[in-house]
Every structure is written in structure tokens, then in C-alpha cells.
Amino acid sequence: MVSDILIEIVTAIGRFLINPLMYIAILFAVLLGYSRVRQERKFFNRRIIWGWTELIGQWKYGWLNALLISLISVGLGLSVPKAFLMVLIAISAVALVLFFINALSPIYMMGLATLAMWLMYHYNWTFSWWKISLEGVNLLDGTIITITILAGLSVIAEGMLIRRAAMKVTTPRVEKTKRGMQAIVYRSRNVWVLPIFFVIPGDIIPVDFPYWPQFTLGESTFSLVLFPLVIGFSKITRKELPALQLPKIGRAVLILGQLILIGGLAAALVPFIGFITLAIGAAIRIGISIFYALQDKTGNYAVAPSSKGAIIAAVFPDSPAEKMGLLAGECIRKVNGQAIFTENDLYEALQLNAAHCRLEVIDRNNEIRLTQHVIYSNDHYRIGLLLAEQRDI
């Protein structure tokens, strides 16, 4: 039996590798990186972040969340119907093809898949294409419980990814204000893939080997499938710096995931609570997006040219500026004792001292601090800063 389970795990990985959703997500990440680099070159004539960052981050930041959800899913036997996963693949693929990144929140995807399963069962709809056949299932037999619990766990993962990983590919762009001036806005677009083991009805693992406290859905044997759960997040920030706003959004989504998880556990007592939880969870997730979108409709900008000095729009990775601890939104008042307001001022001041770069900076808390770093005379232009100033675009 153990060898059969090991073979089933290998088979599940094989199914994962031929899942078209995985390759659509990979292609989408490549397109995100390409479009971002084009935007950076358009506004600043240079690339800020490596073009493959989106693709690498797609798999790098979600694996730990995927592992934890898989352990809970398999350990508790949270089985879901095959048809549910097939519908989830279809909905996720459509959202990716249509570039609806924010529609890729797990609460939306799983909520829509649940609604589709209910309609198929209620109206006795069936769909067949090639070797694929879909039909509805009775969600009240335990399915709604497992779906709601998994939705809660996935939304918790979404919140953690927004808090910790969304900033990795946040890039600036120039925007005209209502007064005809220029300011800096920041765009973050992420698509993460979480390879999660789900339990589905099958013919490999019996209910009683080993002891498995699962929701059996009326089945006596089960199988495993490695499923690419796609999570998307897109946000443009104006009024507040991404480093300050994105963690707030992530925290709100994280709390929502915890509430959905509680609703899923409550559905074990009254299954209908699962439907209510998914519906209210989707509504709250929409509310979170609207709330932070309205905040950025104001005419105020966190980063814009200032008479105080040169405002930092972005810091290049692994640059002297990053090693000096400079951050977007900070104001550089003086370089080597000379007041600066533009990039030309910055580079002229850097040449005053070939050995060191001494900066006087007003940080995000409006406090003055001093910092310095070695800048070689032939590398003064590589300090790694983009400043908010009027540009020809």
C-alpha cells in the first residue's frame, strides 16, 4: 500500500506537469516582466528590475504556503471533487488570458467554481469535451465544508504574499497630475503559483489506511492531485508609498482569510454556513480593493518633485544607493555639501569627491540623517537612484 501511495504521489506530480494552467501562468509572468521593462524604459530610459523577476517570484515566494496547505489538506483528508478543480482551472485560465489579475484572488475563484458546481447540480447540467466530462455534485454532502476551509487557507496565503512579496516587483511610472505637473505612481502586478496537493475521489488510498479523519463525500477510496493554485494581485499606489500601503492590504486580506477559515469550520455543524461564508468573503474582498482604490483617487501624491530637494522615486537593487539605506520617498537635500534638486545636480555633486559620497537626507519621518558610501570616479553615474523630476515622455 505504501508503494501504491508513493506511485500516486509521482503520478500527481506528472498530472501537474501536463496541466495547461501552469504553462499559461508561466507565459503570463513572462509577459508581465516584458511589459514592465518596456514601461521602465519608456519613462526612465533604463531597466530598474530584472525582466525575469516576475517569473522567478511566481514560484519562489509561494512554495512554503503551498507546503503548509498541502499538509493540512492531505493530513485532514479535505477532499474535493475532480469537477471542482476542472472548473477552477477553466476560471483561472480565463482570468489570465483576459489579464484580470485582481480576479485571481482565491475567494473569487473558489466562490465562482462553487457557484458553477451548484448550478450544474441544481439544473442537472453536464459538459463533455474530448475525454473531459463535468457534472454537478451535491455540495451539502461535505464538499462545501472542505471548499470553504481550503478557501480560507488560500486567502490567508494570499494575504501573506501581498505583505511579503508584492513589493518585489513594484515599479514606478510617471503620471500627470490634475494641475498638469508630473508625479510618481507605483504599480505592483504579481501572479503566484502555489503547487498544492489536493485529495480527490479515486482508487488508491482507502479511507481506513491509515486513519484519516476526512470528509469522505460518500466515497471509500481516494487519490492525490498536485494542483497549481494561481493567485494574482495588482495595485497602483499614489497617495501612499507601496512599502506602507501593501502591508496594510495584505494584513486586511490575511484577517479575511482567518474569518473564512472559521466559517468553514462552522460549516461542519451547519453546511449552509459555507455558502454564506464564501459569498460574504467575496464581498469583503471586493470591499478591501475598493477601499484602497478610493484612497488613491485623491490629488495628493506620495512622491513628486519638491522644493526641499531631490525626491527619490526608486532605488536600484544591489546599488550603492541601496547599500546606503536610501528609500523611495526620501528627500536628498545635499550631496557632498551641495544642494541638489535634479539628477544632473546629483551627478555633478558626486564628482566633487571621487572617494566618498556624503548625503544629507530627510527620511520618511521628516527627520534628517547623514549617510555616505565610496563612489569611484568612473562609476559616479551608477549610484543607483531615480529621482522625481519633470521628464520628457
Side-chain angles (χ1 to χ4, degrees):
M1 179 57 69
V2 174
S3 61
D4 290 338
I5 294 177
L6 292 176
I7 293 174
E8 179 64 12
I9 293 175
V10 174
T11 303
I13 296 173
R15 296 190 189 109
F16 176 81
L17 295 176
I18 63 173
N19 192 319
L21 180 60
M22 181 183 70
Y23 297 100
I24 294 174
I26 290 174
L27 178 60
F28 189 85
V30 174
L31 291 175
L32 281 183
Y34 173 75
S35 63
R36 175 184 51 74
V37 171
R38 283 192 60 187
Q39 172 189 294
E40 292 170 350
R41 295 191 186 281
K42 172 185 175 182
F43 290 114
F44 306 106
N45 297 318
R46 69 198 80 177
R47 187 199 71 194
I48 301 174
I49 308 174
W50 191 38
W52 297 101
T53 303
E54 283 85 351
L55 179 59
I56 294 174
Q58 183 179 82
W59 300 90
K60 178 180 179 181
Y61 300 112
W63 70 268
L64 181 58
N65 294 300
L67 177 61
L68 292 175
I69 296 175
S70 295
L71 291 174
I72 295 173
S73 172
V74 176
L76 298 181
L78 301 178
S79 51
V80 294
K82 298 177 188 176
F84 174 80
L85 296 181
M86 296 301 296
V87 173
L88 197 57
I89 290 174
I91 296 173
S92 300
V94 169
L96 285 170
V97 171
L98 297 180
F99 257 69
F100 291 161
I101 300 178
N102 278 332
L104 289 165
S105 171
I107 187 61
Y108 300 151
M109 295 293 99
M110 293 190 178
L112 287 173
T114 300
L115 177 61
M117 296 300 298
W118 180 83
L119 290 173
M120 290 168 63
Y121 178 79
H122 186 74
Y123 293 101
N124 199 27
W125 293 342
T126 58
F127 298 93
S128 297
W129 179 73
W130 197 39
K131 297 182 179 180
I132 300 174
S133 180
L134 297 179
E135 60 182 20
V137 297
N138 182 11
L139 297 175
L140 293 175
D141 66 355
T143 303
I144 189 61
I145 303 171
T146 60
I147 289 176
T148 308
I149 292 175
L150 291 171
L153 293 172
S154 301
V155 174
I156 289 174
E158 178 191 10
M160 295 176 67
L161 287 169
I162 294 173
R163 290 181 66 182
R164 299 176 182 177
M167 270 295 299
K168 303 296 184 181
V169 288
T170 297
T171 185
R173 58 186 296 177
V174 178
E175 181 176 276
K176 278 193 174 183
T177 68
K178 294 180 180 178
R179 297 181 179 180
M181 304 298 288
Q182 291 183 356
I184 301 296
V185 301
Y186 297 88
R187 170 184 280 178
S188 177
R189 295 194 297 185
N190 300 266
V191 172
W192 302 289
V193 176
L194 276 61
I196 299 175
F197 277 102
F198 285 129
V199 181
I200 61 173
D203 55 4
I204 299 297
I205 308 172
V207 172
D208 55 356
F209 184 87
Y211 171 69
W212 213 1
Q214 64 186 345
F215 300 94
T216 61
L217 310 184
E219 304 287 341
S220 58
T221 55
F222 293 85
S223 297
L224 296 176
V225 61
L226 186 59
F227 184 83
L229 179 67
V230 180
I231 299 177
F233 175 75
S234 177
K235 184 72 176 71
I236 293 180
T237 57
R238 295 179 176 87
K239 183 180 178 181
E240 198 171 17
L241 287 165
L244 302 177
Q245 188 180 87
L246 297 186
K248 295 178 184 177
I249 298 175
R251 187 160 48 250
V253 174
L254 179 61
I255 293 173
L256 172 61
Q258 294 170 349
L259 294 176
I260 294 172
L261 180 59
I262 292 172
L265 296 175
L269 301 176
V270 182
F272 192 73
I273 292 178
F275 292 102
I276 298 174
T277 299
L278 292 177
I280 294 177
I284 294 176
R285 184 65 183 87
I286 292 173
I288 293 172
S289 297
I290 293 175
F291 175 79
Y292 284 100
L294 291 176
Q295 277 198 342
D296 284 314
K297 291 297 183 182
T298 177
N300 298 326
Y301 289 82
V303 178
S306 171
S307 58
K308 295 181 180 180
I311 305 298
I312 300 174
V315 178
F316 286 74
D318 302 319
S319 64
E322 185 180 66
K323 294 174 183 177
M324 283 189 283
L326 298 177
L327 301 172
E330 293 185 326
C331 175
I332 303 175
R333 290 180 57 182
K334 295 181 180 180
V335 175
N336 292 331
Q338 182 172 318
I340 69 163
F341 298 93
T342 66
E343 287 187 7
N344 287 335
D345 295 342
L346 169 66
Y347 295 131
E348 289 176 3
L350 286 175
Q351 296 181 70
L352 296 178
N353 189 331
H356 286 85
C357 168
R358 296 183 177 88
L359 280 71
E360 182 179 310
V361 180
I362 302 177
D363 65 18
R364 293 171 177 174
N365 297 320
N366 211 31
E367 297 178 353
I368 297 177
R369 63 183 173 88
L370 302 176
T371 184
Q372 66 179 21
H373 194 270
V374 175
I375 301 292
Y376 297 103
S377 58
N378 60 335
D379 283 345
H380 66 273
Y381 60 91
R382 296 179 181 174
I383 187 173
L385 283 176
L386 280 180
L387 302 182
E389 58 181 350
Q390 297 297 311
R391 299 175 181 270
D392 295 328
I393 56 174

